[in-house]
Amino acid sequence: MATTTEPHETRLDDDLALLTETLEEVLKSSGDPADQKYIELKEKAEKSLNQVKSRLSNASDTYYVRARQAVTRADEYVHDKPWQGIGVGATLGLVIGLLLARR
């Protein structure tokens, strides 16, 4: 059964989380509040940060829904065809056992 999150997606999530934390720190840092350019940049950064947070939240919700659907389909398959499920499980166990034995 395939996983719902690929390694590059996990790294992307980690990178975006780091970017979010860094941007939050920059926004909290001192700047000349009287400088109009600083105020505009801060507002733009805050808006972008909120958009990224919203997109990340939506993406993680989508991953959860996909994983849940995959689990439901697997459960239905095993209930509909128990012997095939046992065969798939035994085959996967054998393959994993052989791979681990090689190490």
Side-chain angles (χ1 to χ4, degrees), residues 4-5 9 13 16 52-68:
T4 58
T5 57
E9 291 171 342
D13 290 343
L16 287 174
V52 168
K53 284 182 177 180
S54 175
R55 287 186 200 135
L56 275 176
S57 176
N58 291 340
S60 66
D61 291 345
T62 301
Y63 294 144
Y64 175 77
V65 168
R66 286 182 184 173
R68 194 76 183 135

Side-chain angles (χ1 to χ4, degrees), residues 11-98:
R11 283 189 302 231
L12 179 62
D13 290 343
D14 293 342
D15 291 344
L16 287 174
L18 178 62
L19 175 63
T20 300
E21 291 172 12
T22 305
L23 190 51
E24 285 175 341
E25 289 177 25
V26 168
L27 290 173
K28 290 177 186 175
S29 68
S30 64
D32 184 9
D35 185 12
Q36 184 62 30
K37 185 69 173 173
Y38 169 77
I39 293 170
E40 290 172 4
L41 286 173
K42 183 176 178 179
E43 288 173 356
K44 183 178 179 182
E46 287 174 341
K47 182 179 176 184
S48 296
L49 178 61
N50 289 333
Q51 288 174 346
V52 168
K53 284 182 177 180
S54 175
R55 287 186 200 135
L56 275 176
S57 176
N58 291 340
S60 66
D61 291 345
T62 301
Y63 294 144
Y64 175 77
V65 168
R66 286 182 184 173
R68 194 76 183 135
Q69 289 172 344
V71 167
T72 301
R73 282 194 303 262
D75 186 53
E76 289 172 357
Y77 179 82
V78 169
H79 280 81
D80 290 343
K81 301 175 181 178
W83 287 110
Q84 285 88 345
I86 291 170
V88 169
T91 303
L92 285 174
L94 178 65
V95 170
I96 291 171
L98 290 173

